[in-house]
Amino acid sequence: MTLFQGLSAFPITPTNQAGVVDTSALAIILNRIREAGADSIGLLGSTGGYAFLSRDQRRRALETTMATVGGKIPVIVGVGALRTDEAEALARDAREAGADGLLLAPVSYTPLTEQEVYEHYAAVTDVGQLPLCVYSNPSTTRFTFSVELIERLAKVRNIVAIKMPLPADGDYSSEMATIRRHTASTFATGYSGDWGAADALLAGADAWYSVVAGLLPSEALALARAARSGDAELAARLNKAFEPLWSLFKEFGSFRVMFAVADIIGIGAFEPPRPVLGLHPEARARVAEAIYGLRTATHRLTIRMVP
C-alpha cells in the first residue's frame, strides 16, 4: 500500500483558545489512531486547525507526533500557509522531523491564478523533498483545481496524490476516470467529506481522508474496510449509523463537532482557537446522542469498536 491510500485519520490538534497545543492529549489521540489500525495520520489538516496555529505550535505538534508514533504509522503533515516562503519553512520542518509525506492546500487571501498555484506547489515540493498530496478544498480556499492544472502538477517530482472534495453531482466514477486519464497510474485520488466516503471508496477511490477517524478511528475503519472490500450492503448499514453525526457536521462544521466529541469520549475539554466558538449545550447533547447511537449500531453489526 502506498502512502496516500486507505483510511487516513485527521485528528483535531487539542489546544486552548490561544492555539497552544496540549501535547499530552495529542499523544493520546495519536496512539488511539495507531492502535485502531488506520493506514496513516493526517496531522495539521483543516480539522487539525493548522490555519490558526503559529509555526512554533505547529512544530510542537509535529515533534510530539513523531516522538509518539513516528515509524509506527505513516504521518502526513499539512504545510499550507499564505506565503510560499512560510509553506516552504513548514515543509522543511516536516522533513527534518521525519514526516512521511506532505499535504498542501492553496491558502490565500487574494484569489490565486493557476500559474501562481503551480509555482507555489513546485517551490514547496522542491524544498520538502517528500511525497506530496494536493489538497483541493474550494469551500475554504476559494480555488478550484482544473483537470489541466492537476495534470501539470502530477508531473512535478514528488507530487503523487490529490485529496478531492465530494463531487457536487455525486459521480465519483466519472471524476476519478477523468483525473486518471490525465495522470500516471501511480497517482492516487482520494476524497474528504466524511458523509460521502463510503460511496467514494465503493467507486474505487484510493483513500478516505477522514475527520471522524481522528477521534473514532475503529468505527471509521469498519466503514472504510467494508467499502474498500466492495461490501455495499454492510457499508450502507454502517454509514446509516453515522448519519446523525454527518448531519451535525453539515450543520455546525466538523471542526466544532470534533472538539465536542473529544470531551464527550473522555479525551479532554479543549477550546477551538478563537474566534471559533465551541458548541452550545443543546448541540453537544445531540453529539453525545449521535456517538451513543453509532456505537450501539456498530456493536449490533458485530464490528469491533473502541470501548
Side-chain angles (χ1 to χ4, degrees):
M1 177 176 290
T2 64
L3 177 60
F4 299 104
Q5 288 189 352
L7 178 69
S8 188
F10 278 66
I12 65 167
T13 306
T15 61
N16 61 16
Q17 292 182 345
V20 177
V21 178
D22 184 328
T23 56
S24 296
L26 178 59
I28 291 171
I29 292 169
L30 297 167
N31 275 321
R32 284 166 51 88
I33 295 170
R34 177 186 60 79
E35 290 166 2
D39 296 297
S40 65
I41 288 173
L43 184 74
L44 297 170
S46 294
T47 304
Y50 74 91
F52 297 99
L53 304 181
S54 68
R55 181 183 175 190
D56 284 345
Q57 290 301 317
R58 290 168 75 160
R59 189 188 293 116
R60 192 161 175 251
L62 171 62
E63 290 172 352
T64 297
T65 299
M66 300 315 299
T68 304
V69 297
K72 301 173 184 176
I73 181 173
V75 176
I76 302 162
V77 181
V79 294
L82 277 171
R83 294 199 319 269
T84 299
D85 65 298
E86 291 180 327
E88 288 174 331
L90 293 165
R92 190 178 297 110
D93 289 344
R95 185 191 72 216
E96 292 175 353
D100 299 281
L102 306 176
L103 178 70
L104 179 62
V107 181
S108 65
Y109 183 83
T110 299
L112 300 176
T113 67
E114 289 205 347
Q115 185 60 28
E116 288 167 341
V117 169
Y118 176 83
E119 292 188 15
H120 179 66
Y121 273 82
V124 174
T125 304
D126 184 57
V127 170
Q129 299 177 20
L130 291 172
L132 183 141
C133 180
V134 173
Y135 184 5
S136 177
N137 188 10
S139 63
T140 297
T141 64
R142 301 295 187 260
F143 182 86
T144 300
F145 286 85
S146 68
V147 173
E148 293 75 19
L149 180 56
I150 294 171
E151 182 177 15
R152 286 185 70 196
L153 290 170
K155 294 175 182 177
V156 175
R157 185 173 180 270
N158 283 331
I159 296 183
V160 299
I162 189 165
K163 177 179 184 281
M164 294 290 289
L166 303 179
D169 61 1
D171 190 351
Y172 301 92
S173 296
S174 294
E175 182 171 79
M176 285 187 287
T178 299
I179 293 171
R180 287 166 178 168
R181 279 198 305 271
H182 291 83
T183 57
S185 60
T186 53
F187 189 82
T189 302
Y191 285 86
S192 54
D194 280 10
W195 49 90
D199 289 338
L201 292 173
L202 284 165
D206 295 299
W208 171 19
Y209 299 101
S210 174
V211 170
V212 77
L215 287 174
L216 300 172
S218 293
E219 291 86 342
L221 191 61
L223 177 57
R225 284 176 173 166
R228 295 197 84 206
S229 71
D231 191 336
E233 180 181 355
L234 178 57
R237 292 166 70 191
L238 286 165
N239 195 63
K240 185 175 181 180
F242 276 99
E243 284 179 358
L245 202 55
W246 300 160
S247 295
L248 289 159
F249 279 12
K250 295 174 185 177
E251 184 176 352
F252 298 107
S254 58
F255 186 59
R256 297 179 182 87
V257 172
M258 293 307 286
F259 269 84
V261 171
D263 190 12
I264 290 164
I265 67 174
I267 301 295
F270 312 107
E271 300 281 354
R274 295 293 298 267
V276 180
L277 300 175
L279 298 183
H280 55 75
E282 181 184 355
R284 287 173 54 83
R286 291 170 57 194
V287 175
E289 183 179 358
I291 294 171
Y292 175 78
L294 170 63
R295 287 180 162 171
T296 300
T298 49
H299 179 72
R300 287 202 304 268
L301 292 168
T302 68
I303 302 296
R304 182 181 65 84
M305 291 295 139
V306 176

